[in-house]
C-alpha cells in the first residue's frame, strides 16, 4: 500500500478533484493534512509521496525525489499567503511577527523577504493560525491557505496586507514554488511501476481539473464562500507545473535560504523521470 498525502486546502483542488482513486483500490490510501503535518509525516516515512512544502523538500532532499510537472506555484500574486501587519512592512525593524504553524516554505520566504530584501531584523513566534490571537501581542502575522483567505475576507480593518508571492516577484521577477510533489527514494526503487501509474494519473487529473475549473469554482463558491470571479482569478494565478524555469527559481530561493542560515546547503532540485511518457485518457 502506497500512502499519498493530500493538502487540506482549496489550492489543491485542480490536482485531486478528478483523481480516480478507485483505479488504485487496495494499492493506495490518501492522508489529508495541513502542509506542516504532511512535511513531518513524509520525513518519518509515514507517507510515501505527495505534496509537501518546497522548503521541506530542500531540508530532506537526500531522501526524496520530485514527481515531474507538479507543484503549487505562482509568478506574482498567490492570493492565499498573506502577511497581515499593523505597520508598513519596511517599518517592521525590531518588531515582532507571529508565524503560522501550518507552513514551512512561507515562513522561510517571509524571513528571506524581511532580512534579505527589506533589511529588517524582527523577532518571531510560531502560533496556531488565528489572526485575532496572533495580532494581540504581535505587530504582524503570517497566514497561509484557507486560513489566510478567511482572515482577508473577514478582517477588512487590518491596515496592511501583503501577498508574499507578489513581494517575491517584485524583487526577483521569478516564480515562487510553495509546494512540490515529493516521493521517497525507496518507493522509486521498490514500486517503480505503480509509481508511474500514479504519476500519470496525477497528470491526467491535473489536465482535467484545469479544463473544468468552472465545475470546481462553482462547488467552492457554494461550500466555502467567495464569488465565482474570485475563484476563477485565484486559480488562474496559480501554476501546477514544474518547468525548468520554476526549478531554477526554486534553486535561487534555496540559495538565499542557505545564505541566511535557514538551510544547511543550497539544495539542487532532482526530478524523477518515469520510463512511460504517455498520459492515460
Amino acid at each position: 500500500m502506497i500512502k499519498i498525502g493530500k493538502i487540506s486546502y482549496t489550492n489543491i483542488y485542480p490536482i485531486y478533484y478528478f483523481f480516480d482513486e478507485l483505479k488504485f483500490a487496495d494499492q493506495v490510501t490518501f492522508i489529508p493534512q495541513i502542509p506542516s503535518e504532511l512535511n513531518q509525516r513524509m520525513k518519518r516515512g509515514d507517507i510515501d509521496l505527495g505534496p509537501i512544502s518546497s522548503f521541506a523538500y530542500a531540508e530532506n532532499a537526500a531522501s526524496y525525489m520530485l514527481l515531474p510537472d507538479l507543484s503549487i506555484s505562482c509568478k506574482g500574486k498567490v492570493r492565499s499567503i498573506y502577511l497581515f501587519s499593523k505597520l508598513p512592512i519596511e517599518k517592521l525593524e525590531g518588531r515582532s511577527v507571529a508565524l503560522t504553524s501550518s507552513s514551512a516554505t512561507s515562513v522561510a520566504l517571509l524571513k528571506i523577504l524581511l532580512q534579505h530584501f527589506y533589511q529588517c531584523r524582527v523577532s518571531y513566534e510560531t502560533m496556531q493560525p488565528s489572526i485575532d490571537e496572533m495580532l494581540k501581542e504581535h505587530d504582524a502575522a503570517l497566514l497561509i491557505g484557507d486560513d489566510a483567505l478567511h482572515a482577508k475576507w473577514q478582517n477588512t480593518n487590518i491596515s496592511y496586507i501583503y501577498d508574499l508571492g507578489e513581494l517575491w516577484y517584485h524583487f526577483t521577477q521569478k516564480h515562487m514554488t510553495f509546494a512540490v510533489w515529493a516521493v521517497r527514494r525507496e518507493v522509486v526503487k521498490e514500486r517503480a511501476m505503480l509509481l508511474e501509474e500514479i504519476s500519470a494519473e496525477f497528470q491526467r487529473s491535473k489536465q482535467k481539473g484545469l479544463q473544468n475549473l468552472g465545475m470546481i469554482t462553482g462547488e467552492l463558491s457554494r461550500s466555502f464562500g467567495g464569488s465565482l470571479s474570485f475563484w476563477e482569478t485565484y486559480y488562474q494565478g496559480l501554476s501546477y507545473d514544474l518547468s525548468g524555469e520554476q526549478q531554477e527559481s526554486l534553486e535561487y530561493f534555496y540559495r538565499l535560504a542557505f545564505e541566511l542560515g535557514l538551510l544547511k546547503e543550497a539544495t539542487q532540485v532532482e526530478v524523477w523521470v518515469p520510463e512511460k511518457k504517455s498520459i492515460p485518457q
Side-chain angles (χ1 to χ4, degrees):
M1 182 74 72
I2 287 184
K3 299 180 286 286
I4 301 179
K6 184 177 181 181
I7 298 175
S8 300
Y9 288 147
T10 52
N11 59 9
I12 211 74
Y13 269 48
I15 304 293
Y16 282 87
Y17 196 86
F18 292 102
F19 192 98
D20 187 359
E21 296 186 22
L22 292 178
K23 180 179 179 180
F24 300 96
D26 301 323
Q27 293 180 295
V28 162
T29 184
F30 285 90
I31 301 173
Q33 267 295 349
I34 59 173
S36 58
E37 181 63 24
L38 292 179
N39 297 343
Q40 292 303 313
R41 291 195 178 196
M42 275 283 290
K43 185 177 180 179
R44 294 195 302 261
D46 297 338
I47 291 176
D48 299 306
L49 69 92
I52 61 172
S53 299
S54 59
F55 190 79
Y57 164 74
E59 292 180 308
N60 300 279
S63 300
Y64 307 152
M65 297 182 76
L66 297 185
L67 293 187
D69 300 319
L70 287 172
S71 78
I72 300 176
S73 305
C74 65
K75 196 171 186 180
K77 292 181 179 179
V78 64
R79 295 184 175 86
S80 58
I81 300 175
Y82 291 112
L83 178 71
F84 300 86
S85 182
K86 301 173 184 176
L87 302 167
I89 191 170
E90 64 272 12
K91 295 185 178 180
L92 285 175
E93 172 68 31
R95 302 285 184 158
S96 62
V97 176
L99 302 173
T100 177
S101 58
S102 304
S103 173
T105 302
S106 301
V107 167
L109 175 58
L110 178 61
K111 291 179 178 179
I112 289 171
L113 287 168
L114 286 174
Q115 188 171 338
H116 182 80
F117 293 108
Y118 285 102
Q119 287 82 50
C120 284
R121 301 277 182 168
V122 304
S123 60
Y124 298 102
E125 181 184 356
T126 301
M127 302 180 63
Q128 291 299 310
S130 167
I131 188 66
D132 292 335
E133 292 300 317
M134 296 168 93
L135 289 178
K136 274 184 180 178
E137 298 182 6
H138 298 280
D139 300 292
L142 173 67
L143 287 175
I144 73 164
D146 297 350
D147 298 316
L149 290 177
H150 282 304
K152 189 171 188 294
W153 291 345
Q154 297 169 6
N155 292 273
T156 55
N157 60 327
I158 296 176
S159 299
Y160 302 93
I161 302 177
Y162 297 95
D163 184 308
L164 264 60
E166 184 177 27
L167 291 181
W168 173 257
Y169 183 75
H170 170 76
F171 286 110
T172 70
Q173 307 299 298
K174 295 180 182 292
H175 284 89
M176 183 61 220
T177 297
F178 293 95
V180 290
W181 267 250
V183 55
R184 295 189 62 85
R185 290 179 184 267
E186 59 266 30
V187 177
V188 174
K189 291 181 180 179
E190 299 167 7
R191 307 296 301 276
M193 290 184 63
L194 179 56
L195 182 60
E196 288 188 10
E197 294 178 15
I198 293 170
S199 178
E201 178 61 21
F202 269 124
Q203 293 301 322
R204 187 201 67 81
S205 180
K206 180 181 81 169
Q207 288 184 6
K208 191 169 183 181
L210 295 176
Q211 291 166 358
N212 292 274
L213 282 176
M215 184 183 302
I216 296 173
T217 57
E219 178 178 319
L220 282 174
S221 182
R222 291 189 298 271
S223 63
F224 188 88
S227 65
L228 282 174
S229 62
F230 166 79
W231 289 111
E232 289 167 359
T233 302
Y234 178 60
Y235 285 123
Q236 288 169 2
L238 295 177
S239 169
Y240 295 98
D241 303 325
L242 190 61
S243 67
E245 182 182 351
Q246 286 165 297
Q247 293 175 44
E248 182 276 328
S249 298
L250 194 52
E251 290 179 351
Y252 175 67
F253 170 68
Y254 292 154
R255 288 196 299 273
L256 292 181
F258 170 67
E259 290 172 7
L260 294 182
L262 303 176
L263 285 174
K264 293 181 180 179
E265 60 181 354
T267 307
Q268 300 294 302
V269 172
E270 187 175 0
V271 179
W272 169 69
V273 180
E275 293 184 6
K276 297 177 183 178
K277 305 298 182 183
S278 60
I279 297 176
Q281 301 299 314

